[in-house]
Structure formats: structure tokens, C-alpha cells
Amino acid sequence: MRRRTLLASTIAVTGITMTEATNEAAAQGDDRENTLYFDLKDGRVAIKLRPDLAPQHVDRIKTLVRQGFYDGTPFHRVIEGFMAQGGDPTGTGTGGSQLPDLPAEFSPPAKARFLRGVCGMARTANPNSANSQYFIMFAPAPSLDGQYTIWGQVVSGMEFVDKIKRGAGQSGMVREPDRLVKAQIAADVPA
């Protein structure tokens, strides 16, 4: 399988976040069907899913979460000041789900931007190659705007994302990586 990673040219750039208006919209309301929980070693992260930006990618995330696909998967590539990447059960950056790759659902920068806490889909050089791998931004990365699919925004627990073990070197590959303990859609969790 092809390597699913952010392009090397973006490694030196830091961060991703949405505009203030989209941050406010993501934080408002209790839409449990579009709220994702990532339980990490240090605590729970709540992510507001953005079907308004990427309906196919949000549907894919929900499908994989409900299959238990992400449970126990490593954060295999983590670059300080840039992002944490997971969603590959092999931990190599080459794995994915058995489902077909997705077509790009890139948002124009005027609508959504890669800022701190934004969740995007990893892909190869082919824009239509996203599958299961995702990344969570530590900081803004304008070079990614309009080039990668944004599917969510961390609305609480970013301090736990900040504690994910970092990788080494330019690739950010992590030895003995932290793992996503459990992923759940809030609607599936008893209130």
C-alpha cells in the first residue's frame, strides 16, 4: 500500500486551525452524532466532526470508529510544533482500512484553515488517496490550507493531544509510540 503521509514539503511548516467563525460554530450545540471522543493515555479528547466541510470523510471516520478500527492504533508520526498522525494499524505510515480511498474534499482557506486542533486526513501525493490515517495539528500550517481535507476540530482535551510522545528526525517517526486507547462517537456512549 502507498505511504500515507503529509508531503515532505510541509514538514517545516507548523500548525492548522479553522477561522474564528468556524471554531465558534464547532463549539456550539450538543450534536452527539457529530462528536468524536478519542481516549488517550492522559485523558479524553472531544472532536467536533465537520460534515459540512467533508461529508464523505466524516462518514468514513464514523464507520471506522464504530468498527473499532482505531482502538489501539499508534500515533506513529508526531512532529513537534506541527502535528500528530495516527490511524495506521501497522504503525508504518503505509497501512489503511480495507475500504476504498476517498476523493478529496478540500475546503477553500476562506471557509476553513489548518490551525491548532484541526483534524485532517493524511494522503499520498495523490489528492484522492485518503483512507484511514488522520492528523491533529499542534499549530497553524497555512501551506496545508486547501491541500488536505479538514474533517474535525478539537473542542476539548487539546492538552492531552499535546502530551502525545514526539518522534525523531525529519520524518517524526515514533519509537514505542503512544496509542489511541479508544475512539467512540458520543451518540454511542451512554449519557
Side-chain angles (χ1 to χ4, degrees):
M1 185 175 269
R2 298 177 309 267
R3 184 167 191 78
R4 296 183 193 290
T5 186
L6 298 174
L7 297 174
S9 64
T10 63
I11 290 175
V13 181
T14 59
I16 291 187
T17 307
M18 290 184 262
T19 64
E20 284 183 37
T22 56
N23 276 335
E24 287 177 25
Q28 292 175 355
D30 182 27
D31 184 1
R32 294 177 50 82
E33 182 59 30
N34 286 308
T35 300
L36 172 63
Y37 294 144
F38 274 1
D39 290 333
L40 306 182
K41 69 179 181 3
D42 293 303
R44 176 168 280 177
V45 177
I47 299 169
K48 178 66 177 170
L49 299 174
R50 295 297 309 269
D52 59 313
L53 298 178
Q56 293 177 78
H57 286 75
V58 167
D59 185 58
R60 170 64 55 87
I61 296 286
K62 288 180 180 181
T63 296
L64 293 175
V65 165
R66 287 183 164 132
Q67 291 175 355
F69 178 86
Y70 289 118
D71 297 350
T73 55
F75 286 97
H76 64 277
R77 187 166 176 258
V78 184
I79 300 173
E80 180 65 45
F82 184 38
M83 59 86 215
Q85 185 174 334
D88 173 7
T90 71
T92 64
T94 62
S97 77
Q98 295 300 310
L99 299 172
D101 290 347
L102 292 168
E105 293 180 294
F106 302 158
S107 299
K111 188 170 186 178
R113 302 187 62 218
F114 280 93
L115 305 172
R116 177 172 166 75
V118 166
C119 304
M121 288 299 275
R123 62 172 177 81
T124 67
N126 176 353
N128 301 309
S129 62
N131 186 285
S132 66
Q133 292 188 45
Y134 61 87
F135 55 93
I136 304 172
M137 298 305 297
F138 291 129
S143 67
L144 301 182
D145 294 347
Q147 304 297 311
Y148 289 83
T149 298
I150 293 172
W151 57 266
Q153 167 74 47
V154 173
V155 292
S156 69
M158 192 62 195
E159 68 272 22
F160 306 128
V161 175
D162 288 336
K163 293 181 180 181
I164 295 171
K165 182 179 179 183
R166 302 312 199 255
Q170 219 177 9
S171 73
M173 294 303 286
V174 185
R175 288 182 176 240
E176 299 180 27
D178 288 343
R179 294 179 176 272
L180 194 163
V181 177
K182 186 167 187 64
Q184 300 175 88
I185 303 300
D188 299 339
V189 177

